[in-house]
């Protein structure tokens, strides 16, 4: 329960500064400054914008379906926020150590689609409806490669428990993992190179099972589509649909929808970090007497363990978000047919092949 | 393939070709944006002008100039906001005349003596009662700065001076307050009176030196008095009038251009009277000066409604009633002397407002005489 306000405040603070970072990154990519006036280097710009947003009039269009319109932002945000319940924030620290965490997470994120459809349909506006339809089509489609790429990880780790997946990538696999005892280089037990004590990035899932690197790319692309981020932002394509499903939203409701968008960015980035990038573990391995992994990790359950864990997990997630932002300002939006081509003809087959290979790979692991 | 067109677009029109081309081009795109991202963190365009030899060498990094905080320097020959160093201005009116959009308004107040020197040694003889430049009208052609003899009117490098109210775009350069300007005007009127009186007295001496001396004593205060008294006396009336006829005021502002015509029309009435004496040279000189000023005053009249209000009422309605009252009462005593002076005074009167003195002589002469007065007052007032 403690983690509810923690995650909520993290999301709020993160959203404020993610918007700022996004504007800065887009500025730098385009050889400009981005916000510079409010606060030093414009760092308070988003706060000013937020205050402006919150004091704006809350408009519900006359011809809108009032109930759907009002309920939609709440559903969108609560569906996404519920996903945070199973995130292992640090070793020994999670809101719920559900043994079906991954499954739950994918299921609850899917509820997001319902909220978006409600928002688009309830607005009684063709732009909103087009946006919502596109969003639904896109998100349902991309859930397939997304789930398949997650499935590869689940096969490798033999668990749906996110904390268990985290422990398997840590130095304390012996003590805390219920499934594995040792990590071998690239997961090949017959190589007899035991890296359990080395840790660092070598025990990340993408190195325990190198084929998961491909899976990670698939997951990352699919998660961009899941977040409606560019280049998969056709549900809210500004140049065609005004703002897509949230065209009619103003003030606080718009802020909630916006918060939901940034929250799901953060959620999928957390998920990618946990599943592929070693979760809350330090990227630094122990090399001989340089106990980098020991120095930058804390024993599960201790204060330092929680602090280091939270630090590494958040750092990884923020790096991925930064990558998402750079991608947004690099690539043009896909056409709908290109979107479906990519999903069904490239990513899904690829994810299936990865599953096949990682199944074989799993046989080589202990 | 569902989208053959899509596949044929790629250089390699195969499934794997499209994918590999897609991957390489996506990576190239990412590299490009990362390059810009890191260059933006390291390099920044400096705010240097085009005359700097490095101007074209800034080809990476942030190009934004944060304008209010930094700005590209203005070239030395840039044409932006005008500035008039009023202390160096000889109020020659050349700038106002050459301005193609008539945005310079000058109200010249003559002075009888030298006011001072400009920094380049020119003698200043005219006060600028008004020196307004309407920068909202200005087209920045720079003609006024080239024509200015003392080079006191210059283009500055200030280009950011927008205003919320367009009226604030009118820049007032005069160093006189309205009160001071009024004072100078009166002073000049007095001086002119003093000048012209000695002339008239010389001519009148034969008739009665004692009276003349008495008059001098009496008149010296009088002129000083009258101008002082009359304007105030007339202004209240005039204000009433103006209050009554705001429309007229606005109308008169526009019609200000037509006034010179009225004045001109009045002159013909004058000259016949004036012709008689051979003293013309002086009056003519003065009168020659005035025509120059008149256009200026009429132009300036547009700007300063307040001054005009005071003046105009004096012009049209106020004058006739007031003149008879004042002149009749005072001049009953002076009539004898005046008759002789009348012709002379009329010459002088072109410049002077001595209404009572001039007019009283003979009633037939009344009407023609009266008209000049209004002019004179008006002219002097405008100056
Ligand atoms: S720059 Fe040209 S338009 Fe402007 S005041 Fe001078 S003469 Fe007139
Ligand atoms: S031309 Fe120069 S000196 Fe003459 S009135 Fe204009 S600013 Fe003054």
């Amino acid at each position: 329960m403690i983690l509810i306000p923690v995650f909520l405040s993290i999301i709020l603070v993160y959203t404020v500064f993610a918007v700022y970072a996004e504007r800065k990154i887009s500025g730098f990519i385009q050889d400009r400054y981005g916000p510079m006036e409010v606060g030093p280097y414009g760092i308070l710009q988003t706060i000013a914008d937020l205050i402006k947003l919150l004091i704006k009039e809350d408009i519900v269009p006359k011809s809108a379906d009032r109930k759907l319109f009002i309920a939609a932002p709440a559903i969108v945000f609560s569906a996404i926020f519920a996903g945070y319940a199973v995130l292992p924030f640090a070793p020994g620290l999670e809101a719920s150590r559900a043994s079906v965490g991954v499954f739950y997470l994918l299921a609850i994120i899917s509820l997001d689609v319902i909220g978006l459809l409600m928002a688009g349909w309830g607005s009684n506006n063709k732009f909103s409806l087009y946006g919502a339809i596109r969003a639904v089509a896109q998100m349902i489609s991309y859930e397939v490669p997304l789930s398949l790429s997650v499935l590869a990880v689940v096969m490798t780790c033999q668990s749906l428990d996110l904390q268990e997946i985290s422990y398997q990538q840590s130095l304390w696999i012996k003590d805390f993992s219920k499934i594995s005892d040792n990590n071998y280089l690239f997961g090949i037990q017959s190589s007899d190179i035991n890296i359990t004590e080395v840790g660092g990035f070598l025990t990340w899932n993408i190195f325990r099972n190198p084929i998961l690197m491909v899976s990670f790319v698939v997951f990352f692309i699919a998660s961009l589509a899941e977040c409606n981020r560019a280049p998969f932002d056709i549900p809210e394509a500004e140049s065609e649909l005004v703002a897509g499903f949230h065209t009619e939203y103003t003030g606080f409701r718009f802020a909630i929808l916006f918060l939901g968008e940034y929250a799901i960015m953060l959620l999928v980035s957390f998920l990618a970090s946990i599943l592929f990038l070693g979760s809350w573990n330090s990227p630094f391995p122990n090399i001989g007497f340089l106990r980098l992994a020991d120095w930058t990790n804390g024993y599960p359950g201790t204060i330092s363990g929680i602090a280091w864990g939270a630090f590494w997990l958040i750092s990884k997630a923020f790096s991925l978000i930064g990558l998402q932002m750079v991608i947004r300002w690099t690539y043009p939006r896909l056409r709908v047919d290109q979107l479906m081509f990519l999903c069904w003809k490239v990513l899904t087959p690829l994810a299936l092949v990865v599953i096949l290979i990682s199944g074989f790979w799993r046989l080589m692991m202990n | 393939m569902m989208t053959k067109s899509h596949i044929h677009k790629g250089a390699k029109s195969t499934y794997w070709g499209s994918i590999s081309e897609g991957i390489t081009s996506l990576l190239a795109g990412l590299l490009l944006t990362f390059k810009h991202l890191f260059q933006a963190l390291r390099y920044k365009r400096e705010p240097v002008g085009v005359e700097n030899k490095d101007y074209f060498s800034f080809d990476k990094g942030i190009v934004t100039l944060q304008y209010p905080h930094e700005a590209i320097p203005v070239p030395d020959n840039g044409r932006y906001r005008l500035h008039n160093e009023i202390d160096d201005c000889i109020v020659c009116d050349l700038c106002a005349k050459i301005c193609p959009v008539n945005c310079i308004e000058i109200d010249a107040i003559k002075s009888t003596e030298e006011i001072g020197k400009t920094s380049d040694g020119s003698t200043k003889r005219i006060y600028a009662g008004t020196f307004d430049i309407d920068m909202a009208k200005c087209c920045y052609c720079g003609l006024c700065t080239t024509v200015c003899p003392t080079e006191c009117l210059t283009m500055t490098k200030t280009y950011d001076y927008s205003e919320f109210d367009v009226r604030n775009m009118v820049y007032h350069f005069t160093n006189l307050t309205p009160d001071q300007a009024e004072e100078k005007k009166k002073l000049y009127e007095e001086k002119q009176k003093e000048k012209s009186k000695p002339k008239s007295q010389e001519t009148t001496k034969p008739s009665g030196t004692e009276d003349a001396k008495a008059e001098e004593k009496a008149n010296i205060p009088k002129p000083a008095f009258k101008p002082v008294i009359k304007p105030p006396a007339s202004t209240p009336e005039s204000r009433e009038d103006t209050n009554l006829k705001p429309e007229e005021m606005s109308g008169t502002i526009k019609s200000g251009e037509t006034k010179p015509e009225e004045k001109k029309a009045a002159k013909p009435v004058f000259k016949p009277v004036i012709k008689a004496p051979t003293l013309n040279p002086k009056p003519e000189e003065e009168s020659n000066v005035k025509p120059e000023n008149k256009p200026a005053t009429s132009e300036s009249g547009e700007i300063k409604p307040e001054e005009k209000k005071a003046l105009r009422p004096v012009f049209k309605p106020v004058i006739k009633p007031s003149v008879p009252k004042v002149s009749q009462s005072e001049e009953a005593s002076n009539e004898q002397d005046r008759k002789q002076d009348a012709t002379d005074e009329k010459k002088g009167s072109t410049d002077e407002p001595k209404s009572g003195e001039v007019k009283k002589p003979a009633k037939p002469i009344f009407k023609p005489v009266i008209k000049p007065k209004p002019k004179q007052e008006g002219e002097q007032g405008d100056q």
Side-chain angles (χ1 to χ4, degrees):
Chain A
M1 289 303 288
I2 296 172
L3 282 179
I4 290 178
V6 169
F7 272 124
L8 196 56
S9 51
I10 285 177
I11 291 171
L12 290 175
V13 173
Y14 142 79
T15 301
V16 167
F17 289 100
V19 173
Y20 170 75
E22 176 131 38
R23 293 173 69 177
K24 277 293 185 190
I25 287 174
S26 69
F28 291 147
I29 286 174
Q30 297 165 1
D31 290 342
R32 342 176 245 110
Y33 276 111
M36 285 295 281
E37 286 301 314
V38 187
Y41 290 92
I43 200 158
L44 300 178
Q45 180 66 55
T46 328
I47 294 173
D49 289 347
L50 198 64
I51 292 170
K52 185 206 75 173
L53 197 58
L54 293 184
I55 60 177
K56 281 211 166 185
E57 186 186 359
D58 179 24
I59 299 171
V60 179
K62 209 173 177 182
S63 58
D65 187 328
R66 202 180 162 82
K67 282 178 200 155
L68 291 184
F69 187 85
I70 289 174
I75 288 182
V76 169
F77 182 71
S78 53
I80 293 163
F81 188 59
Y84 283 85
V86 292
L87 284 189
F89 194 52
L93 186 69
E94 69 277 293
S96 159
R97 189 168 178 180
S99 53
V100 289
V102 177
F103 185 66
Y104 163 83
L105 198 55
L106 293 177
I108 202 84
I109 292 177
S110 305
L111 274 183
D112 182 27
V113 174
I114 295 176
L116 297 190
L117 188 57
M118 281 168 68
W121 182 265
S123 295
N124 199 7
N125 170 323
K126 61 184 171 189
F127 296 121
S128 301
L129 187 57
Y130 268 125
I133 289 171
R134 287 182 181 190
V136 172
Q138 171 180 319
M139 291 176 75
I140 290 178
S141 301
Y142 275 82
E143 247 157 48
V144 175
L146 186 83
S147 307
L148 290 177
S149 59
V150 172
L151 193 57
V153 178
V154 172
M155 284 172 62
T156 305
C157 294
Q158 301 284 302
S159 172
L160 286 166
D161 181 351
L162 285 165
Q163 192 68 284
E164 163 70 26
I165 293 172
S166 303
Y167 280 130
Q168 285 191 22
Q169 304 173 69
S170 77
L171 292 170
W172 300 282
I173 183 168
K174 273 196 185 94
D175 305 339
F176 291 92
S177 171
K178 296 164 195 160
I179 292 159
S180 306
D181 288 330
N182 286 297
N183 271 323
Y184 295 95
L185 187 63
F186 300 126
I188 304 171
Q189 196 177 11
S190 54
S191 73
D192 238 11
I193 306 171
N194 193 326
I195 54 168
T196 308
E197 293 301 321
V198 177
F201 66 88
L202 289 174
T203 53
W204 290 6
N205 268 347
I206 54 171
F207 289 99
R208 292 176 74 212
N209 181 353
I211 197 65
L212 287 184
M213 286 185 197
V214 181
S215 188
F216 171 64
V217 172
V218 173
F219 179 90
F220 187 73
I221 294 172
S223 72
L224 282 180
E226 230 14 44
C227 305
N228 299 329
R229 291 284 301 181
F232 303 101
D233 59 344
I234 63 165
E236 45 199 78
E238 294 93 344
S239 46
E240 317 160 22
L241 297 181
V242 188
F245 59 87
H246 56 59
T247 302
E248 297 290 350
Y249 283 88
T250 53
F252 185 69
R253 283 179 226 287
F254 176 76
I256 293 289
L257 278 176
F258 211 66
L259 194 66
E261 281 196 13
Y262 275 85
I264 197 171
M265 270 172 72
L266 184 64
L267 184 65
V268 295
S269 298
F270 269 138
L271 193 57
S273 311
I274 292 165
L275 294 178
F276 299 98
L277 303 179
S279 191
W280 33 256
N281 290 292
S282 156
F284 303 115
N286 288 322
I287 308 168
F289 66 94
L290 283 177
R291 312 301 290 175
L292 293 177
D294 293 343
W295 295 338
T296 54
N297 276 310
Y299 191 77
T302 62
I303 296 290
S304 77
I306 287 172
W308 278 116
F311 172 76
W312 287 120
L313 187 59
I314 289 176
S315 306
K316 287 169 187 174
F318 282 8
S319 309
L320 286 178
I321 286 168
L323 185 60
Q324 285 186 6
M325 288 174 178
V326 174
I327 283 174
R328 170 170 177 186
W329 295 101
T330 303
Y331 300 138
R333 184 182 309 130
L334 270 71
R335 240 174 20 222
V336 179
D337 66 304
Q338 292 169 336
L339 185 87
M340 291 303 166
F341 175 86
L342 181 65
C343 174
W344 294 109
K345 292 191 172 175
V346 179
L347 296 183
T348 306
L350 193 58
L352 286 169
V353 171
V354 168
I355 286 178
L356 185 67
I357 296 175
S358 71
F360 284 118
W361 205 280
R362 175 69 216 176
L363 294 177
M364 294 193 287
M365 297 171 74
N366 56 338
Chain B
M1 297 274 145
M2 175 185 70
T3 55
K4 278 188 180 172
S5 61
H6 165 84
I7 287 164
H8 288 298
K9 264 179 205 161
K12 306 166 183 126
S13 56
T14 60
Y15 176 81
W16 295 107
S18 298
I19 289 177
S20 69
E21 193 190 10
I23 291 172
T24 52
S25 63
L26 288 179
L27 288 179
L30 262 190
L31 272 180
L32 186 70
T33 45
F34 267 113
K35 193 180 111 198
H36 277 270
L37 183 60
F38 290 117
Q39 279 181 352
L41 293 173
R42 260 184 298 164
Y43 305 105
K44 173 194 175 314
R45 182 176 192 91
E46 295 303 321
V48 298
V50 72
E51 67 278 3
N52 188 306
K53 63 178 170 17
D54 291 334
Y55 184 78
F56 293 104
S57 66
F58 294 114
D59 55 355
K60 58 189 169 198
I62 289 174
V63 295
T64 309
L65 277 187
Q66 295 187 275
Y67 168 60
H69 310 301
E70 53 187 20
I72 291 180
V74 169
D76 287 336
N77 54 357
R79 299 203 300 251
Y80 299 102
R81 185 166 71 184
L82 285 164
H83 173 71
N84 185 15
E85 193 59 46
I86 195 70
D87 289 339
D88 284 351
C89 176
I90 58 173
V91 199
C92 64
D93 208 34
L94 286 175
C95 51
K97 283 204 195 71
I98 199 152
C99 178
V101 294
N102 285 343
C103 63
I104 304 182
E105 311 271 2
I106 297 176
D107 181 4
I109 301 175
K110 282 193 186 174
S111 166
T112 44
E113 75 255 6
E114 187 183 317
I115 302 166
K117 296 269 190 203
T118 63
S119 57
D120 69 348
S122 308
T123 306
K124 296 203 297 180
R125 293 186 181 281
I126 309 177
Y127 293 105
T130 305
F131 196 114
D132 290 356
I133 302 182
D134 189 344
M135 293 310 294
K137 286 190 202 161
C138 178
C139 65
Y140 306 97
C141 62
L143 289 174
C144 53
T145 61
T146 56
V147 81
C148 178
T150 61
E151 298 192 349
C152 62
L153 193 58
T154 50
M155 289 288 193
T156 62
K157 294 183 176 183
T158 312
Y159 52 82
D160 182 4
Y161 53 97
S162 51
E163 297 277 358
F164 284 106
D165 188 339
V166 73
R167 285 169 291 190
N168 293 338
M169 292 294 281
V170 180
Y171 285 77
H172 310 284
F173 290 106
T174 179
N175 51 1
L176 299 181
T177 63
D179 288 345
Q180 282 174 324
E182 197 66 23
E183 202 177 295
K184 305 278 185 205
K185 265 181 225 163
K186 283 168 196 164
L187 207 64
Y188 179 67
E189 286 169 20
E190 285 168 28
K191 288 270 168 69
Q192 288 301 97
K193 279 177 201 165
E194 281 172 23
K195 257 193 200 171
S196 63
K197 262 170 205 167
K199 291 174 205 164
S200 64
Q201 284 163 1
E202 283 174 15
T203 55
T204 55
K205 272 175 189 175
S207 65
T209 53
E210 293 177 4
D211 287 1
K213 285 176 185 176
E215 274 188 83
E216 274 187 358
K217 291 174 186 175
N219 285 347
I220 291 170
K222 266 183 197 169
F225 262 130
K226 279 184 184 174
V228 179
I229 295 169
K230 277 180 187 172
S234 62
T235 49
E237 293 174 20
S238 66
R239 274 174 200 163
E240 287 172 19
D241 291 347
T242 57
N243 290 341
L244 292 175
K245 299 172 186 176
E247 301 168 357
E248 270 198 11
M249 287 314 300
S250 60
T252 54
I253 289 172
K254 288 175 188 170
S255 67
E257 296 168 3
T258 62
K259 266 171 194 176
E261 293 176 10
E262 290 178 17
K263 291 170 186 175
K264 285 172 190 171
K267 268 179 192 170
V269 181
F270 245 143
K271 281 184 181 174
V273 185
I274 295 168
K275 279 177 186 173
T278 55
L279 295 176
N280 282 345
K282 276 192 180 178
E284 277 180 3
E285 284 177 2
E286 291 170 354
S287 63
N288 287 342
V289 174
K290 275 174 190 172
E292 288 182 6
N293 288 344
K294 275 179 189 174
T297 54
S298 64
E299 287 171 11
S300 67
E302 294 179 5
I303 296 185
K304 295 212 165 173
E306 293 178 7
E307 289 184 9
K308 279 187 177 174
K309 283 173 191 171
L311 300 174
R312 282 205 188 129
V314 179
F315 254 152
K316 287 182 181 177
V318 178
I319 291 164
K320 283 180 183 176
S322 67
V323 169
K325 289 176 189 173
V326 179
S327 60
Q328 285 177 359
S329 60
E330 286 182 0
E331 285 160 26
S333 60
N334 297 337
E335 271 190 22
Q336 301 166 347
D337 300 336
R338 296 297 154 77
K339 282 176 187 173
Q340 296 174 351
D341 300 348
T343 54
D344 293 342
E345 287 224 296
K346 281 165 196 165
K347 304 167 198 167
S349 70
T350 55
D351 298 331
E352 298 157 21
K354 284 158 205 167
S355 57
E357 297 173 7
V358 180
K359 284 150 198 175
K360 289 310 130 149
K363 283 194 176 171
I365 307 175
F366 229 0
K367 282 186 180 176
V369 178
I370 290 169
K371 281 177 185 173
K373 246 209 249 165
K375 292 182 207 164
Q376 296 161 357
E377 288 184 1
E379 290 172 9
Q380 290 171 349
D382 280 358
Q383 290 171 358

